[in-house]
Amino acid sequence: MGGRALEVTVYAAAVVSWLVSGVIHFPGLSTNIYSDVVSFWMRQESSGLQTGEAPCFTFFFEYPPLACLVTHASALLGAGDLERYYQAFFYLSLPAYLALAWSILHISKMSGAGRLGLVFIASPSLAVYGIYNFDHFAAALAGVSIVFLLRRKVLVSSLLAGLGFAMKIYTGLMLPAILIELRGADRYRYLAGFVAASMPLFATQELIRPGALSEFIQFHSSWGLENAWYIWIFWDQFSPTAKTLGPLLGAFLVIHFSLRRISLLLKLFLAVSGWLLMSYIFTPQMVIWLLPLLASVPRVIPFWPALEVANVSIILTWFGDYNPVMPPSPPQIMALVRAAALGLMILTVYRNAGSSGLRGFIAPSSPQRTPPT
């Protein structure tokens, strides 16, 4: 298959994934699969959506401000109707799917992963958890940001990463590795662009509804363990020890991997994966965060099917005659399998990082800092 045909195939796979995701969660179907997008409309605390109020800015909504704006735009376009609101969110999601495909194409090429890196656009998680929450938007912004960073377009990259942070906080996990990697003015330029793109949205939210950020932090800190593998150790969803040790170890892994003298793409994959592995909240849609980074590490493909099958199975087994957040329920068995697969992926990349031959930004033994184009 020629290069052009391969690109068309990748974009086609993204569109098919988008269509499948839109159909399986469509609220007009009696057999639809649960979606947070629909849940936002239905729940009482977000009833302002139906009357045109702006989430985050006029009432509490547990997501960053850019995600709130996407939800508000969908509600306005929906004109008070659930199905039209869902369809608006669905159509607004298409550019994100295409941008994610674009980033996977370029990262796989620039990293030297080649065609093997392209398989990740066919992620079942992208289809099942795409028109579900905001993670496809965040992953698309992160992926495009990485491509521009590899092209040394530091300011553009930082602005996109900042918008990603205002969508799902995800790109904050990549910030230590990138700032450590950059030198001189580029480091300050990146940080300034990141802050300039993200902070005005948070500041506006706080000005319009004082205390919003404090409420956001309190809400998430009060949440219990959700799909964290170590629930099998503590057997307590609200264990203070688990909720303290998990993020601490996750932060340690982010810093440890960021400090390693390996390719930036490997640092980013290890940092994000390490955080997800240790986070006390690892919702299944967060796997989408990994897709642009997986495009640079095709050696993990042997473990990828187990990760995907287990991750998709979490929502498919969630609603049953058991407590889904506690073992030995089926969702927590699947979360344990997913953690094992992700752990093996991390170990594989970590052990082979020095001999990966990965291109893209720096190689530890080379002074050359400009990636091949």
Side-chain angles (χ1 to χ4, degrees):
M1 183 181 295
R4 188 63 179 172
L6 197 61
E7 288 186 11
V8 171
T9 301
V10 170
Y11 286 118
V15 171
V16 169
S17 180
W18 169 71
L19 289 169
V20 169
S21 192
V23 169
I24 64 176
H25 298 299
F26 184 64
L29 296 178
S30 60
T31 56
N32 65 23
I33 297 174
Y34 169 86
S35 168
D36 286 342
V37 177
V38 176
S39 175
F40 299 152
W41 185 272
M42 303 293 289
R43 65 190 187 183
Q44 184 175 357
E45 58 268 34
S46 296
S47 59
L49 272 180
Q50 301 177 26
T51 57
E53 294 183 51
C56 288
F57 299 92
T58 58
F59 63 90
F60 175 72
F61 197 67
E62 67 269 30
Y63 292 93
L66 189 53
C68 296
L69 291 178
V70 170
T71 308
H72 184 47
S74 301
L76 292 178
L77 291 169
D81 180 77
L82 170 59
E83 291 188 9
R84 288 200 298 269
Y85 150 78
Y86 178 85
Q87 289 167 0
F89 188 93
F90 170 66
Y91 288 116
L92 289 173
S93 295
L94 179 58
Y97 272 76
L98 296 175
L100 186 57
W102 183 86
S103 70
I104 287 175
L105 276 164
H106 286 270
I107 290 172
S108 63
K109 180 181 179 181
M110 299 173 78
S111 68
R115 296 186 178 191
L116 277 178
L118 303 179
V119 302
F120 298 103
I121 193 60
S123 164
S125 291
L126 183 59
V128 174
Y129 300 110
I131 315 301
Y132 181 97
N133 201 280
F134 309 101
D135 300 80
H136 57 299
F137 291 110
L141 286 165
V144 176
S145 172
I146 291 169
V147 173
F148 278 102
L149 185 61
L150 294 175
R151 292 177 171 180
R152 301 295 303 193
K153 304 294 184 182
V154 174
L155 183 58
V156 176
S157 173
S158 65
L159 293 171
L160 289 166
L163 289 174
F165 185 78
M167 181 69 76
K168 206 66 194 285
I169 311 296
Y170 154 41
T171 53
L173 298 172
M174 305 192 301
L175 198 56
I178 292 171
L179 292 179
I180 289 170
E181 197 67 36
L182 294 172
R183 295 290 185 270
D186 279 348
R187 179 179 294 166
Y188 299 108
R189 187 178 296 114
Y190 191 93
L191 184 58
F194 188 95
V195 172
S198 59
M199 289 304 105
L201 290 166
F202 287 97
T204 301
Q205 176 188 357
E206 189 66 21
L207 285 171
I208 294 174
R209 197 171 65 85
L213 294 179
S214 174
E215 193 175 6
F216 175 85
I217 293 170
Q218 289 175 7
F219 175 87
H220 288 282
S221 62
S222 68
W223 204 259
L225 274 67
E226 185 174 344
N227 306 321
W229 60 268
Y230 43 87
I231 188 71
W232 292 83
I233 298 174
F234 292 94
W235 288 82
D236 178 1
Q237 187 189 3
F238 296 98
S239 165
T241 304
K243 291 179 63 176
T244 301
L245 285 180
L248 283 177
L249 289 171
F252 168 78
L253 290 177
V254 170
I255 299 302
H256 173 70
F257 292 141
S258 298
L259 289 170
R260 286 211 67 192
R261 288 188 54 79
I262 56 178
S263 165
L264 176 63
L265 287 170
L266 296 185
K267 289 184 182 185
L268 296 178
F269 170 77
L270 290 169
V272 175
S273 298
W275 174 262
L276 289 177
L277 187 65
M278 296 309 305
S279 176
Y280 68 87
I281 299 175
F282 185 2
T283 56
Q285 64 266 25
M286 291 178 182
V287 164
I288 296 173
W289 298 2
L290 295 174
L291 296 184
L293 301 170
L294 284 168
S296 68
V297 287
R299 66 170 66 243
V300 304
I301 285 177
F303 309 109
W304 185 53
L307 177 84
E308 288 284 359
V309 170
N311 195 57
V312 167
S313 297
I314 290 174
I315 190 62
L316 297 181
T317 60
W318 192 262
F319 301 99
D321 190 20
Y322 42 72
N323 184 350
V325 300
M326 289 297 296
S329 66
Q332 295 314 304
I333 294 173
M334 293 299 102
L336 189 62
V337 173
R338 179 186 64 177
L342 183 58
L344 289 169
M345 294 164 82
I346 292 171
L347 184 62
T348 298
V349 173
Y350 187 81
R351 291 183 61 183
N352 293 280
S355 59
S356 67
L358 181 66
R359 302 197 303 267
F361 231 57
I362 72 162
S365 60
S366 170
Q368 176 68 28
R369 303 188 66 81
T370 303
T373 57

